[in-house]
Amino acid sequence: MKTQTSKSFVIKKTAQMSFWSLVSRVFGIAREIMQAKFLGVSDVSDAFLTASGIPNMLRKIFEEGGITSALVPHLVKVVHDGGKNRASELVTAVLLIFEFVMVLCCVGVWVFPSSVIAFFAPGFSASQIATTIPFLRLMFPSVLFFSGSNI
């Protein structure tokens, strides 16, 4: 009897995850259609895609488990050896250091946006870089705001 309940729970959770994945894909297609309709194929489109791609890449690297997967094994050891207070101190220190690094990245992008764009989009002309700079300055701070939520 318990096995049947476990199976139905797994099936229910799998169906929920599949449904929300489908919804995400539909919104992604809608986003792509609207982007093509309003931006088309132009320097503005290239600028927008590049400016949104740079923070998105950093979000994927830092926020989607990289820091967490590196921290969790050490955190478990600290909890086991030093207790919850020591673990709390470790998480606070890591969060502060990580956020400080992210602030430095944001300041660096704000001060040297053309260098960052030239690094990530080496084929861009001077006019494309100039078009991309306002987008990048607008979008990049999102990394700072979302980065601490996943540690």
Side-chain angles (χ1 to χ4, degrees), residues 81-117:
D81 295 343
K84 290 183 180 181
N85 287 339
R86 183 73 182 121
S88 177
E89 291 171 0
L90 174 65
V91 170
T92 301
V94 168
L95 180 63
L96 287 173
I97 291 168
F98 181 68
E99 287 299 315
F100 178 73
V101 169
M102 295 312 298
V103 166
L104 287 179
C105 285
C106 285
V107 169
V109 167
W110 191 264
V111 175
F112 305 108
S114 57
S115 299
V116 172
I117 295 165

Side-chain angles (χ1 to χ4, degrees), residues 40-110:
V41 178
S42 65
D43 285 349
V44 174
S45 174
D46 292 342
F48 178 79
L49 291 174
T50 301
S52 63
I54 294 170
N56 193 36
M57 179 199 60
L58 290 176
R59 181 188 56 80
K60 286 179 181 179
I61 291 170
F62 290 121
E63 297 175 18
E64 293 182 358
I67 300 289
T68 304
S69 63
L71 181 64
V72 167
H74 187 68
L75 189 61
V76 168
K77 184 177 183 238
V78 169
V79 168
H80 185 265
D81 295 343
K84 290 183 180 181
N85 287 339
R86 183 73 182 121
S88 177
E89 291 171 0
L90 174 65
V91 170
T92 301
V94 168
L95 180 63
L96 287 173
I97 291 168
F98 181 68
E99 287 299 315
F100 178 73
V101 169
M102 295 312 298
V103 166
L104 287 179
C105 285
C106 285
V107 169
V109 167
W110 191 264

